Amino acid sequence: MVSSDQSYARLPKSYKNLFPFRICAPSFIYPAHWITNIRLLGPYLDEIEILCFDSGREADFPSKDDIDQMAKLADKHSISFNMHLPIDISPGSPDSDIRRGAIDIIMRTYRLAAPLNPTACIFHLPLDVTTTDQTELNCWRQRLEKSIETLLLEGIPSQSLSVETLDYPLEWIRPIIETFDLTVCLDVGHLLDHGIDWQAEYCKWANRINMVHLHGVQNHHDHRCLDVLSQSVFTGILATLKSFTGTVSIEVFSFDDLKRSLAYFERHWHGQESHGKTFEHCRI
């Protein structure tokens, strides 16, 4: 059942069309149904990130009626959607049944979301090895390659699949991304949390990045308000985004964190001057 909107606070202003990219938030800002979140966020943002995190819970997948309502709200509020695929699946697992299950879940979610014309389907490719032994890594890459090849053969357009940066350098799977012409979701928070140079990663993948996830990281706790990031880090992020034209999702999961993060983002966006490294001459 879709919750009443009356008890929920609203964002104080609209952030639509303020930036060269689409500004976005997840579909779990309010502790309510997708439709309630979209109704409440749609007037203020350019895009909504539809979360389907738990593949084992039927309630984590929108129904056909939900999708129909989302499409109507997209028209009403001039918003787009991206779809975050379940995060508990493993296309590179050593277990063939688990790999096949991951493929089936991805295809189900993609087909469900297709009427929404999502800007991207974000997916995780977890590192399914316990060492960095090259033999094991090669086997993992081969399994990933077969799974992704199957997904494309079953009908997903390659550039709809946006590989999210996790806890390992994306360089490890560069041949897969390039061979299948996949796109990249640069999760700056994940990279910061794991001590990976996010600026270097941006330079490496700039021509494939269609999605940026932003969230604060503090003491290895991520998805926090943006204002916990140091000013030097945040200044670098904003300088990079000046030339970005995809989607930036403020990936926090509460109204207060989103409200604070958007205010912090806008204040520094308009107040910043040129600082630090620019990316115009990245070798991609």
Side-chain angles (χ1 to χ4, degrees):
M1 180 179 293
V2 179
S3 306
S4 167
D5 300 350
Q6 299 305 312
S7 60
Y8 295 115
R10 308 297 201 274
L11 290 170
K13 60 168 291 183
S14 173
Y15 294 87
K16 285 179 177 291
N17 304 312
L18 282 189
F19 310 106
F21 42 81
R22 295 179 295 274
I23 197 74
C24 171
S27 60
F28 190 69
I29 294 300
Y30 300 95
H33 193 273
W34 291 286
I35 303 304
T36 300
N37 275 269
I38 294 166
R39 270 206 307 263
L40 293 172
L41 296 172
Y44 303 97
L45 303 173
D46 301 309
E47 186 162 313
I48 307 293
E49 177 185 342
I50 305 298
L51 304 179
C52 295
F53 277 173
D54 188 345
S55 66
R57 278 172 39 90
E58 191 60 32
D60 269 28
F61 293 88
S63 66
K64 184 182 181 304
D65 181 61
D66 293 333
I67 295 294
D68 291 343
Q69 289 188 65
M70 289 177 189
K72 290 175 183 176
L73 287 167
D75 289 339
K76 178 179 179 180
H77 296 301
S78 298
I79 53 174
S80 52
F81 296 107
N82 66 82
M83 181 70 71
H84 200 305
L85 301 172
I87 62 175
D88 58 347
I89 58 177
S90 186
S93 170
D95 186 314
S96 61
D97 289 339
I98 292 175
R99 292 197 304 274
R100 182 64 243 185
I103 291 166
D104 291 345
I105 290 162
I106 291 170
M107 289 306 306
R108 175 194 176 187
T109 313
Y110 168 75
R111 288 170 179 145
L112 183 66
L116 300 177
N117 297 311
T119 60
C121 292
I122 312 302
F123 76 140
H124 288 189
L125 295 177
L127 184 62
D128 288 295
V129 294
T130 55
T131 75
T132 55
D133 174 78
Q134 282 304 309
T135 300
E136 284 201 42
L137 285 173
N138 286 337
C139 289
W140 168 64
R141 281 189 284 259
Q142 288 169 12
R143 296 191 297 266
L144 284 178
E145 186 173 333
K146 290 191 70 173
S147 291
I148 292 169
E149 183 177 30
T150 301
L151 288 168
L152 301 188
L153 288 172
E154 293 193 10
I156 295 188
S158 62
Q159 295 209 332
S160 291
L161 288 173
S162 190
V163 181
E164 184 171 340
T165 53
L166 299 175
D167 56 354
Y168 60 88
L170 211 56
E171 194 69 29
W172 289 2
I173 56 172
R174 178 180 285 275
I176 295 173
I177 292 171
E178 292 182 340
T179 296
F180 294 110
D181 196 23
L182 308 179
T183 53
V184 169
C185 170
L186 190 84
D187 191 305
V188 177
H190 288 164
L191 297 174
L192 288 169
D193 193 30
H194 293 285
I196 299 172
D197 186 340
W198 71 267
Q199 291 179 326
E201 292 298 296
Y202 183 90
C203 260
K204 289 175 185 176
W205 301 103
N207 65 334
R208 292 189 180 274
I209 296 169
N210 61 352
M211 183 76 53
V212 172
H213 286 175
L214 287 186
H215 46 98
V217 179
Q218 190 176 53
N219 299 323
H220 294 293
H221 290 91
D222 58 4
H223 298 286
R224 300 192 64 185
C225 182
L226 289 179
D227 61 16
V228 305
L229 296 173
S230 70
Q231 186 163 347
S232 61
V233 167
F234 199 60
T235 297
I237 292 169
L238 294 181
T240 304
L241 292 177
K242 286 288 184 182
S243 60
F244 184 64
T245 57
T247 298
V248 174
S249 184
I250 309 297
E251 207 174 41
V252 295
F253 302 111
S254 76
F255 174 79
D256 287 343
D257 280 352
L258 179 63
K259 179 181 174 182
R260 283 172 50 200
S261 292
L262 286 168
Y264 185 75
F265 190 101
E266 185 190 21
R267 183 166 66 251
H268 286 275
W269 177 266
H270 292 305
Q272 80 147 355
E273 298 181 1
S274 289
H275 291 290
K277 184 176 179 181
T278 63
F279 295 91
E280 294 175 1
H281 302 102
C282 285
R283 294 183 181 179
I284 300 166

